[in-house]
Amino acid sequence: MSEIFKIVPEATHNALVEAAYKHRGYNEEEAAYAAKFSAYASTHGIRTHNALKALHLDHLFGSGSQGCVPNAKIEKLDTRFEASQTWNANRKLGQATAYEALETCIELADKYGIGQVSVDNAFHYLWGGGYVMEAAKRGYIAYTNCTAALAEVVPFMGKYPTLGTNPHSWGFPTTDAVGFPIVIDWATSVIAMGRVQQIAREGGTLPPNAAVDKDGNPTTNPKEAAALIPFGAHKGYGLSLINEIVGGFIGGSLPTVRNRSWEIEDEKHTACFYFQVIHPDAMSSGAFAKGRDQSANVKAVIDDVLGHGNENCLLPGQIEAGAAAKTEANGGLLFSIAEIEAFNELAVECDEEPWKVESFQNAKS
């Protein structure tokens, strides 16, 4: 039997999420950014990085620890490079910082063809794919990576977690070509820790060779997962390592002390992230075959990839586009009963009225 989902009005969701962030000391603008991004993730079916994950991270590593400071101000550092900016986020809320970084990159790309923002002393911004999707919907090519909140991934042929899940996210403006932005977004572990938490919450099991227990032995029990395994063996390891090295160039410090070992005062404990936005015009040679323009040429390339018997293959971003269409058709955000119960725990925390499950209609498939 398929899982039952309830339709929660976006305004109802956002009001509770904003209240939860304000209860923890965040200002109105930060709380609004957090709610907006959480709703965007839920709209696109990203259950591993919705508001529950965001507030759980904040409790563990953010305002509930020392990794995030409500009301912090971003410091924009001097640079001689006109299309580049480097920021000290001063541990500001990740979603608010990331939205501002994305907008800045877009402004730079409009002027210079390309723009990049590197952010030091950051707090995790959740679903990287959401930011590049937003840029792609507005006609830009976008990329982001970040160092994860914790080192919880074992390197290839290793046994101790010294890497983050370290996602990479690309977004491409392909709505004219295929009806939605192609968004290639992946954690560099076999499975994201948010997915492990979701599976544990809902009583499921992990895929094989995705996680290890405290003794380094493979496990499919999400409640016993102590560390994760890179996907693709040495390939996933290499991609994860990229983020740690990029973070090292920006100003990030040792991954094994990130959001841990706060007593080591001469080390940095915060994450880093990096954004890049490219204006498609800045990449165009103008020499497209058969008189095609750039948009038609991109469509021709995609059609060729999906031809030759590959017509049933999915494009990255297609599942998210389908989830967004389902959200729109139902007229609200879709949550499982287990998720609604978790939201009600947040309501109790911030003295808000809990949601009544029976007041929400069942979602149509």
Side-chain angles (χ1 to χ4, degrees), residues 34 37-42 45-55 57 95 124-130 146 165 167 185 187 191-195 197-198 201 339:
F37 189 73
S38 295
Y40 197 67
S42 293
I46 307 300
R47 301 174 67 198
T48 58
H49 287 76
N50 61 17
L52 298 174
K53 172 69 172 182
L55 285 157
L57 277 178
Q95 301 95 306
H124 204 296
Y125 60 21
L126 279 302
W127 174 43
C146 68
T165 51
D185 171 59
I191 191 170
M193 190 57 82
R195 176 68 174 154
Q197 292 162 349
Q198 178 195 337
R201 185 167 59 241
E339 287 172 323

Side-chain angles (χ1 to χ4, degrees), residues 32 65 98 132 145 153 166 175 186 201 204 206 210 214 220 225 232 261 274 290 305 310 364-365:
S65 179
V132 298
N145 74 42
V153 178
N166 292 358
T175 300
W186 70 94
R201 185 167 59 241
L206 301 177
K214 61 182 177 59
T220 58
S261 306
Y274 172 80
K290 295 187 176 181
V305 170
N310 298 329
K364 296 172 288 187
S365 59

Side-chain angles (χ1 to χ4, degrees), residues 278-290:
I278 305 166
H279 197 297
D281 290 352
M283 299 182 69
S284 176
S285 71
F288 305 113
K290 295 187 176 181

Side-chain angles (χ1 to χ4, degrees), residues 50-318:
N50 61 17
L52 298 174
K53 172 69 172 182
L55 285 157
H56 182 63
L57 277 178
D58 180 69
H59 171 70
L60 293 178
F61 310 119
S63 63
S65 179
Q66 300 179 58
C68 193
V69 178
N71 303 296
K73 302 296 182 184
I74 296 169
E75 178 186 2
K76 299 184 179 182
L77 307 178
D78 292 336
T79 178
R80 69 181 190 275
F81 302 107
E82 293 188 56
S84 302
Q85 292 190 17
T86 304
W87 299 357
N88 176 3
N90 286 310
R91 292 182 281 168
K92 187 176 179 66
L93 183 69
Q95 301 95 306
T97 306
Y99 269 125
E100 186 169 346
L102 180 68
E103 292 298 333
T104 299
C105 283
I106 288 173
E107 291 174 9
L108 292 170
D110 281 340
K111 186 173 183 179
Y112 300 108
I114 189 169
Q116 65 177 5
V117 173
S118 304
V119 184
D120 192 17
N121 280 322
F123 185 62
H124 204 296
Y125 60 21
L126 279 302
W127 174 43
Y131 303 107
V132 298
M133 180 185 290
E134 172 68 19
K137 286 182 178 180
R138 293 162 62 179
Y140 300 90
I141 299 166
Y143 169 73
T144 184
N145 74 42
C146 68
T147 51
L150 288 178
E152 53 192 1
V153 178
V154 176
F156 177 60
M157 298 183 69
K159 56 185 178 181
Y160 186 84
T162 57
L163 301 165
T165 51
N166 292 358
H168 294 256
S169 307
W170 279 97
F172 296 93
T174 55
T175 300
D176 289 345
V178 299
F180 54 88
I182 289 179
V183 176
I184 303 169
D185 171 59
W186 70 94
T188 50
S189 52
V190 171
I191 191 170
M193 190 57 82
R195 176 68 174 154
V196 173
Q197 292 162 349
Q198 178 195 337
I199 291 171
R201 185 167 59 241
E202 297 175 2
T205 58
L206 301 177
N209 300 314
V212 295
D213 63 19
K214 61 182 177 59
D215 299 316
N217 299 313
T219 181
T220 58
N221 185 340
K223 294 182 179 179
E224 292 180 358
L228 305 174
I229 298 172
F231 77 81
H234 61 286
K235 297 178 182 179
Y237 163 52
L239 287 167
S240 182
L241 187 60
I242 286 171
N243 294 27
E244 299 294 351
I245 293 173
V246 168
F249 275 104
I250 293 170
S253 194
L254 309 183
T256 53
V257 304
R258 193 161 54 237
N259 281 305
R260 291 183 169 120
S261 306
W262 290 97
E263 71 279 2
I264 306 176
E265 295 180 356
D266 56 349
E267 278 291 356
K268 292 168 75 172
H269 299 79
T270 46
C272 295
F273 50 77
Y274 172 80
F275 275 93
Q276 181 184 88
V277 170
I278 305 166
H279 197 297
D281 290 352
M283 299 182 69
S284 176
S285 71
F288 305 113
K290 295 187 176 181
R292 294 189 290 260
D293 63 13
Q294 188 183 53
S295 179
N297 200 59
V298 169
K299 184 178 188 308
V301 168
I302 295 169
D303 287 346
D304 191 47
V305 170
L306 295 183
H308 318 284
N310 298 329
E311 290 80 6
N312 292 327
C313 292
L314 291 174
L315 287 167
Q318 188 169 344

Side-chain angles (χ1 to χ4, degrees), residues 328-349:
E328 183 178 5
N330 279 281
L333 304 178
L334 309 184
F335 295 107
S336 69
I337 292 174
E339 287 172 323
I340 289 174
E341 290 171 351
F343 274 110
N344 283 341
E345 292 177 10
L346 293 172
V348 171
E349 175 192 319

